[in-house]
């Protein structure tokens, strides 16, 4: 048992000596060492008692622990030796990114072996650090009052100038107005309004192969105008804009909320849908709605309503011919021959009315700005209760005509008052629309601009367009 105690004591004493990192050993240290040895001896007596109880396994554990501590000590000495061999000096030169002139009193900071080393550049813009141990990923942080801070990797620090950018001379300016299509029913883009974030970003080279970005943010005012004061930048600025969510007014044939997204189950209508907008992104499709008006025939005996589409690219057989009255128009005759729409043709035999009845017909103005006073119209049913194709005294043909009384005389105000028309021939205009009543002028605009000279100014009006996506699908 004494031999075991002797082994443990020698091993522990060796570990204690190896763990001592002081270069000097004085009298006080000797007294403390004696105390530590007495405590260690007492602890080993406890360990011996444990060994008596646990046997050889506990003894082996003590031996393994001592061996592990020795391995750690050896590794530590090896690491310190490698660090010492890899330490080297680093020289950093700091210059202005525009003028390339040396910058004095720039602060350069680096971390090595858990310590922070900091120094200022001299009049030549140079600072030198001696005997630093750095990793390949280590960087020098370089800053100066009035300049944008940057950093450079240790691998490039000795081979490149560190370039700082003076951000105090804000004599350059980028300004403009932001536009957006929140109303597709007109051909004039709207302004985005207040508090839309606009950011000018400059990419500044740190050296020949590294760079960093600096950002100058601002917000639009109530008129959608923004203005950013910036310093001259060697590579100019790239503008970016936050995404906008806004209600957009547009015409739809239907939306995903409609059970059937086609005529005649649904008529085109004006609606408002939440839309997301990004500059130079026009991914949200808008529907082609060319039928700006429809003829609505009163319900038949089963309660079903028949619609005839107005004149469009898809249905040029239906014509409403107009004459000019002052600065407006009135209906002179109708040629309504087809129920065909871009989605197909409706079978008139499916609709049954009272025999020989005169059936009221009204014009549904989808846009609400075509008709001031609606014309009074009618359709005729035959003896079988089906709509009859007839001719009118004014020269019209088809299923819908100006309304007449039983004596064949036009009823009062039958011709109505029409606000808009398109040319037809030398005698008439036409109520019709062959183009999409949703209007947009999507256009892309570059968002990168050079302002490399002091005092440069740019006026840039940006266009968000008709939208990037919507909360629901439209048809």
């Amino acid at each position: 048992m004494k031999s075991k105690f002797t082994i443990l004591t020698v091993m522990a004493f060796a570990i204690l000596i190896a763990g001592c990192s002081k270069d000097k050993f004085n009298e006080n240290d000797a007294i403390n060492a004696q105390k530590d040895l007495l405590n260690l001896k007492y602890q080993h007596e406890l360990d011996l008692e444990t060994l008596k109880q646990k046997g050889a396994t506990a003894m082996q554990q003590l031996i393994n622990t001592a061996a592990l501590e020795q391995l750690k000590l050896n590794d530590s000495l090896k690491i310190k030796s490698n660090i010492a061999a890899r330490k080297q000096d680093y020289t950093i030169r700091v210059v202005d990114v525009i003028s390339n002139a040396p910058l004095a009193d720039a602060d350069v900071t680096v971390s090595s072996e858990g310590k922070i080393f900091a120094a200022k550049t001299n009049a030549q813009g140079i600072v030198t650090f001696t005997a630093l141990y750095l990793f390949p990923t280590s960087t020098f942080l370089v800053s100066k009052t009035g300049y944008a801070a940057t950093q450079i990797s240790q691998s490039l620090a000795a081979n490149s100038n560190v370039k700082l950018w003076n951000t105090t001379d804000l004599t350059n300016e980028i300004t403009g107005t932001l536009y957006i299509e929140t109303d597709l029913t007109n051909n004039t883009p709207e302004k985005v309004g207040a508090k839309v974030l606009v950011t000018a970003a400059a990419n500044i080279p740190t050296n020949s192969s590294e760079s960093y970005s600096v950002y100058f943010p601002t917000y639009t005012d109530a008129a959608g105008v923004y203005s950013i004061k910036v310093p001259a930048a060697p590579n100019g600025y790239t503008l970016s804009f936050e995404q906008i969510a806004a209600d957009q007014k547009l015409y739809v044939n239907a939306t995903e909320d409609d059970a059937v997204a086609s005529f005649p189950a649904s008529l085109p209508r004006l609606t408002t849908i939440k839309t997301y907008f990004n500059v130079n992104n026009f991914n949200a499709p808008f529907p082609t709605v060319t039928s700006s008006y429809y003829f609505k025939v009163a319900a038949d005996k089963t309660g079903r309503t028949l619609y005839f589409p107005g004149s469009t690219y898809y249905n040029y057989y239906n014509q409403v011919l107009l004459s000019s009255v002052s600065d407006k128009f009135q209906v002179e005759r109708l040629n309504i021959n087809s129920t065909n729409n871009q989605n197909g043709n409706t079978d008139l035999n499916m609709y049954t009315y009272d025999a020989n009845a005169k059936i009221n017909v009204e014009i549904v103005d989808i846009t609400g700005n075509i008709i001031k006073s609606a014309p009074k119209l009618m359709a005729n049913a035959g003896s079988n209760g089906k709509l009859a194709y007839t001719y009118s005294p004014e020269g019209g043909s088809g299923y819908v005509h100006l309304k007449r009384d039983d004596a064949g005389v036009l009823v009062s105000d039958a011709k109505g008052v029409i606000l808009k028309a398109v040319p037809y021939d030398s005698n008439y205009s036409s109520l019709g629309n062959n183009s999409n009543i949703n209007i947009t002028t999507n256009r892309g605009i570059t968002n990168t601009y050079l302002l490399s000279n002091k005092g440069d100014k740019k006026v840039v009006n940006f266009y968000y367009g008709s939208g990037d996506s919507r909360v629901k699908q439209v048809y």
Side-chain angles (χ1 to χ4, degrees), residues 21-225:
S21 60
K22 291 186 178 181
D23 296 330
K24 296 181 180 180
F25 192 79
N26 54 34
E27 183 179 358
N28 187 56
D29 291 332
I31 294 172
N32 290 332
Q34 289 294 329
K35 292 179 180 179
D36 290 339
L37 285 174
L38 290 173
N39 289 332
L40 185 64
K41 181 179 179 181
Y42 173 72
Q43 183 61 45
H44 281 311
E45 289 175 351
L46 294 178
D47 291 339
L48 284 173
E49 185 62 28
T50 301
L51 287 174
K52 292 177 182 178
Q53 298 177 15
K54 294 186 176 180
T57 301
M59 179 64 180
Q60 187 62 47
Q61 288 177 349
L62 288 175
I63 295 173
N64 290 345
T65 300
L68 180 60
E69 292 298 327
Q70 184 62 47
L71 288 174
K72 289 181 179 179
L73 175 61
N74 293 340
D75 287 344
S76 176
L77 294 174
K78 183 177 180 181
I79 291 172
K80 288 184 178 180
S81 176
N82 290 338
I83 288 176
R86 294 179 59 181
K87 286 185 177 181
Q88 66 182 72
D89 298 342
Y90 293 89
T91 297
I92 312 296
R93 184 171 185 266
V94 183
V95 300
D96 185 280
V97 72
I98 301 291
S99 67
N100 217 40
L103 294 178
D105 295 322
D107 294 302
V108 183
T109 305
V110 66
S111 174
S112 175
E113 299 183 84
K115 297 180 181 179
I116 300 297
F117 296 86
K120 289 184 179 290
T121 57
N122 59 19
Q124 290 73 45
I126 295 173
V127 64
T128 299
F129 295 91
T130 59
L132 290 183
Y133 173 72
L134 300 181
F135 295 101
T137 56
S138 297
T139 59
F140 290 88
L141 177 64
V142 186
S143 62
K144 180 178 172 64
T145 302
Y147 288 75
T150 187
Q151 57 185 7
I152 183 172
S153 64
Q154 62 89 6
S155 60
L156 294 173
N159 302 316
S160 304
N161 291 333
V162 180
K163 299 179 179 181
L164 290 188
W165 184 37
N166 190 327
T167 57
T168 58
D169 186 7
L170 304 178
T171 56
N172 293 28
E173 182 182 22
I174 308 174
T175 186
T177 303
L178 304 187
Y179 295 93
I180 189 172
E181 288 285 0
T182 53
D183 187 348
L184 294 182
T185 69
N186 60 39
N187 55 11
T188 303
E190 292 69 43
K191 295 179 180 179
V192 299
K195 298 193 179 300
V196 174
L197 178 63
V198 181
T199 303
N203 187 261
I204 307 300
T206 301
N207 48 67
S208 58
S209 61
E210 293 181 335
S211 64
Y212 64 96
S213 295
V214 178
Y215 303 91
F216 295 85
T218 191
Y219 288 93
T220 58
D221 62 17
V225 176

Side-chain angles (χ1 to χ4, degrees), residues 254-267:
T255 73
E256 63 183 36
D257 296 332
D258 295 301
V260 180
S262 63
F263 171 85
S266 62
L267 290 182

